[in-house]
Amino acid sequence: MKKFIVANWKMNPETLTQAKELFNLVAEGTKNIKNIEIIVCPPFVYLSAIQDTKYKIQDTGYLKGVALRPYGAGKIQLGGQNCFYETNGAFTGEISPVMLKNMGCEYVILGHSERRKYQKETDEIIRKKIESALSVGLKPIVCVDKLSQLETLKKIDNWTIGKLLVAYEPLECIGNGKACDPKDAEKMRIMIEKEFGRSIPILYGGSVNSQNAKNYVKTAGFSGLLIGGVSLKADEFVKIANTLIYS
Ligand code: PGA
């Protein structure tokens, strides 16, 4: 199965200049990596500029004077970190799936534990968002920390296997350097597969770094990784992407 690596920048960095710099470093560092879907999810406000940067790199074939292969930054996919379930209208502060799609995003992270915690998103709200994202051709990366949160997928009308990804992110392992025991993560992966079949890519997320990355992909059998804190360090992120090639 294809492998995936997702950079969840969360509410970082603070300036557009830093965001473009980070994206450029990731593009440069991963230009020779094939067969892995690299998905960068910046804050909404940077998406447009990063999309422009991406195409500039792709069109000119050059980045900071370094020749890029045609599959350079062009193959990095962009994703949103969230979206609303309505398409447009009087919903102050919200961003719709169709806006993300029109901005060139292929993916959207939904159900992240930080949104469940701080924005009080429920499984029902997340289900509506997943349906809405699927309806415009965005691929949801659905984050869960327990199996019951996936029950909601069974209610999705236009549910089509292969159009979404699941990220198992145990709550107690997010953002604190305490990654999950790969054996426990593997048990969860197997349970998810039993429930939903083997054609859904299942990613692991929670304190992934370049040292522990292969434990989840090679040893525990995940199809990829969702990376938060470490995705802000281009060199570490690139190292992890390289680890996936050999996992
Ligand atoms: P972390 O975040 O890698 O910083 O633990 C993962 C996530 O929240 O998606």
Side-chain angles (χ1 to χ4, degrees), residues 8 10 112 114 169 173-176 205-208 226-230:
N8 177 11
K10 307 192 180 185
H112 192 281
E114 284 150 16
E169 298 210 299
C173 302
I174 295 180
N176 55 13
S207 298
V208 174
L226 200 169
I227 300 163
V230 166

Side-chain angles (χ1 to χ4, degrees), residues 227-244:
I227 300 163
V230 166
S231 71
L232 300 170
K233 298 178 185 155
D235 53 341
E236 272 283 291
F237 184 75
V238 168
K239 260 194 218 162
I240 299 173
N242 276 295
T243 307
L244 293 203

Side-chain angles (χ1 to χ4, degrees), residues 126-135 155-158:
I126 294 159
R127 179 191 64 76
K128 284 162 80 171
K129 292 183 173 195
I130 295 170
E131 277 189 355
S132 182
L134 283 170
S135 74
K155 294 188 205 145
I156 288 175
D157 292 343
N158 53 351

